[in-house]
Amino acid sequence: MNRFNQKTVLVTGGSSGIGLAAARAFAAEGARVVITGRDAAALEQARSELGANAITLRSDAGSLADAKALAASLAERNLLLDAIFLNAGAAKFAAFPDVDETLWDQIFDTNVKGPYFQLQALLPLLNSGAAIVINGSINARIGMPNTSVYAASKAAVISLAKTLSAELLPRGVRVNVVSPGPVTTPIYGKLGLDATALQATAAHIQSQIPLGRFGTAEEIAATVLHLSAPESAYIVGTEIIADGGMSQL
């Protein structure tokens, strides 16, 4: 299929995990893909994998200055966007008594403030009919211990998808959310847990998934492409949950 032939797509946090899987899938269907990330080496590795049609730009998802700089860089290249996957995010878990302001600010800057102002900066570059997908999480819905800050940040972006959908519809722009359940990605190694705690956490989580396994980045990417494609033109302000039944059964 070539649903994105002659279209330009931006994937934030596109150098690994779900973001890279989505970038691969968009590129395979003909898109010119722009990916962002903070790690220059990871970006270069992703660019070599995605091919000559890919563009990589270093950008911190939690920085308002970087958000504006990213939009300016795209404008300088005369690039207009047909789809955006706001995927870049941070995940750190901590028990409620251990949460401090630094953790709160890191999570909310990267997961909420950054994507909000990134989208604001990119508005002039959106083609009519553009689709925006925000990466949410089922943590916003299931009350998992030690995830209070992360879960609250994801609840915020799910809410934003609805309000921004209402505001942007007159411009022909749709906003939706994909909320993954547990997925095997590098982010699990960045939760702030030691190896023993991480293994125990993963085993506990897996025991709660009706399908009996973690999802794959490619499975989430498939949903992102669906929400970004013309076939989903009637889906607006919606959250699609892809969690192996964890929050549903």
Side-chain angles (χ1 to χ4, degrees), residues 97-185:
D98 299 328
V99 172
D100 58 19
E101 187 177 11
T102 299
L103 176 62
W104 177 279
D105 288 344
Q106 179 186 3
I107 297 299
F108 266 79
D109 283 356
T110 305
N111 292 358
V112 185
K113 185 172 75 172
Y116 183 88
F117 287 102
Q118 183 66 84
L119 183 54
Q120 185 187 71
L122 292 170
L123 275 179
L125 304 180
L126 295 180
N127 280 322
S128 178
I132 298 159
V133 180
I134 303 175
N135 197 352
S137 172
I138 63 162
N139 283 97
R141 303 190 175 279
I142 62 176
M144 180 184 293
N146 303 324
T147 69
S148 58
V149 180
Y150 177 71
S153 74
K154 292 302 186 178
V157 296
I158 292 168
S159 174
L160 284 176
K162 295 184 178 297
T163 52
L164 294 180
S165 282
E167 288 198 43
L168 297 180
L169 269 181
R171 298 182 52 137
V173 174
R174 297 182 298 115
V175 186
N176 291 292
V177 176
V178 57
S179 283
V183 175
T184 304
T185 73

